[in-house]
Amino acid sequence: MLDKNYYEKVDEIIAGYGTESRFLIPIIQDVQNEYRYLPPELLKYIADKLHITEAKAYSVATFYENFSFDQKGKYVIKVCDGTACHVRKGTDVLEKLREVLQLKPGQKTTDDMLFTLETVSCLGACGLAPVLTVNDEVHPAMTPDKVIDLISSIMKEEQA
């Protein structure tokens, strides 16, 4: 059960668009931007407010890869696994991230909810390969050593 504030925020977002079903995608995008994931309870709430079935809302939310029902960490790291990044040893970068973040096989988010690690097919920055983003900030020409420096700098910011 989510806190009342979640529903109040959704009401605020819906008020900015209106209750027509055509606003489903921008509304759930805003909800996901707010919470870094799409809480399933809120999707049902949104469907009710927009007078659509819960099944319709879920079909839209699950169709688009961008939407996630899994809670994410404060820092979402996306590692490109496209051809250019793969050829330039992007998998070494990914493995170093898993090691530094101490992620178990199949685990995407650290236990402290600070980091979420995802692989994506392409970040559209092939000339910068291997590349990753941290909350949409691009980090080009990554190496395993640069991964250590990057995570260390984020941890220092967190402790400040």
Side-chain angles (χ1 to χ4, degrees):
M1 181 76 181
L2 294 174
D3 184 84
K4 174 177 92 165
N5 295 334
Y6 281 77
Y7 297 96
E8 290 171 354
K9 183 63 181 177
V10 169
D11 286 338
E12 186 182 308
I13 290 169
I14 291 171
Y17 289 99
T19 57
E20 294 176 47
S21 63
R22 66 188 175 109
F23 296 122
L24 175 63
I25 291 174
I27 289 169
I28 62 179
Q29 283 175 320
D30 285 2
V31 170
Q32 181 161 289
N33 287 340
E34 182 72 24
Y35 300 112
R36 295 188 307 273
Y37 80 114
L38 188 56
E41 301 96 319
L42 292 184
L43 190 59
K44 179 180 178 357
Y45 184 76
I46 293 165
D48 289 344
K49 291 287 187 173
L50 300 185
H51 311 290
I52 61 174
T53 65
E54 188 177 349
K56 173 70 174 173
Y58 269 96
S59 71
V60 170
T62 56
F63 178 80
Y64 294 102
E65 193 175 302
N66 188 47
F67 294 118
S68 174
F69 293 108
D70 298 322
Q71 200 166 7
K72 295 188 180 196
K74 181 176 180 180
Y75 299 95
V76 178
I77 302 170
K78 294 181 182 181
V79 179
C80 181
D81 193 31
T83 303
C85 290
H86 188 80
V87 167
R88 293 187 180 154
K89 302 197 184 283
T91 52
D92 294 348
V93 169
L94 181 60
E95 288 308 313
K96 181 53 81 173
L97 276 163
R98 286 188 178 126
E99 177 188 320
V100 169
L101 298 176
Q102 300 176 6
L103 294 172
K104 299 172 193 90
Q107 183 183 9
K108 289 184 175 187
T109 302
T110 56
D111 294 335
D112 60 6
M113 295 301 295
L114 200 54
F115 296 97
T116 295
L117 179 60
E118 301 176 340
T119 57
V120 295
S121 299
C122 184
L123 287 170
C126 300
L128 305 176
V131 66
L132 63 82
T133 61
V134 178
N135 293 349
D136 298 323
E137 180 183 320
V138 177
H139 295 269
M142 289 303 295
T143 65
D145 289 339
K146 285 183 179 180
V147 163
I148 294 169
D149 294 341
L150 175 62
I151 299 302
S152 293
S153 71
I154 293 171
M155 296 301 290
K156 282 180 188 170
E157 278 182 38
E158 282 298 308
Q159 293 170 355

